[in-house]
Amino acid sequence: MNRLLFASVLLYAASQTGECITGGKDADAHSRPYMASLQWNGTHECGGFLISSQWIMSAAHCFQNGRASGVEAVLGAHSLSGAEDTKETYNTTVYSHPDFNISNYDNDIALLKLEKPINESSAVKPVKFQREEEADPKEFAVVDTAGWGSLNNVGGRADILQELSISVKSRRECGRGDYYGLKFTSNMLCAAEGKKDTCDGDSGGPLLYKDVVVGITSNGGKKCGSSKKPGLYTIISHYTVWIDSIITE
């Protein structure tokens, strides 16, 4: 076997193992009309989701190091590259949580105000988010998420919106030293399933339970799909007071 062929075989094998995203599928076109592609200079970098006519929720870590300016929100998209009459692009103002901690991604939540209210349609409309902590999903509950992030650990990004269902893992397991240890805080939940995980570019997207957004895609291991580094999600119900203070100011 020549070196080029051998390298190709290795690359293919890497993309098929549990160390990468598998198990997702193309979402039906515009079946998640709340999804937002957050872009810098026309390039998708993070996800978000519409929670009202003029506000998007996302992850604070997407806007660090001077990246809070120049963010455009694309709504009504299914294919990022395709021409779609439903697409709408908005300039935004970013409000990141003041207590976001870059060392462990605690308080990883942000709000983006659109330059003007949306024109609601079948392809662009808000989603409900969880305000009551008692209603958050418990261990083993099935949740679902979506995004345009990487399909594997070799960098291939999705063009068509992807979705997958995963299970909430136990807090005890995620707080173990060989998982996340002390970096796993009370403001996070972790969720994954064999060969199913979110990845780079999915950050800021929604985690839904019974069609209500309960979490924000936040962080994970260096490799997507790693068995001991399941995806981490910010628990939205812990931030109701802060959310209301920003939206109503």
Side-chain angles (χ1 to χ4, degrees), residues 38 56 68-73 90-94 112-115:
L38 303 183
I56 286 171
S69 61
V71 185
E72 291 186 324
Y90 296 83
N91 294 321
T92 68
T93 302
V94 177
L112 290 80
K113 187 175 184 180
L114 304 178
E115 60 185 311

Side-chain angles (χ1 to χ4, degrees), residues 96-112:
S96 291
H97 196 283
D99 297 326
F100 170 64
N101 187 336
I102 192 64
S103 66
N104 65 353
Y105 284 57
D106 198 23
N107 305 308
D108 193 11
I109 180 172
L111 293 166
L112 290 80

Side-chain angles (χ1 to χ4, degrees), residues 32-35 50-52 118 120-127:
R32 297 178 181 269
Y34 46 82
M35 289 297 297
L50 192 67
I51 59 169
S52 75
I118 63 164
E120 188 169 322
S121 68
S122 60
V124 180
K125 63 177 61 176
V127 64

Side-chain angles (χ1 to χ4, degrees), residues 126-177:
V127 64
K128 292 181 179 179
F129 65 90
Q130 186 58 259
R131 302 180 66 89
E132 305 297 331
E133 188 173 349
E134 295 77 13
D136 285 332
K138 306 300 189 260
E139 180 181 351
F140 304 129
V142 176
V143 288
D144 64 278
T145 185
W148 288 277
S150 296
L151 298 170
N152 50 53
N153 285 302
V154 294
R157 287 277 182 94
D159 180 63
I160 298 296
L161 182 67
Q162 300 293 297
E163 62 184 12
L164 76 163
S165 295
I166 47 181
S167 299
V168 175
K169 302 183 79 66
S170 75
R171 301 198 63 81
R172 181 178 180 181
E173 183 177 27
C174 294
R176 279 171 33 181

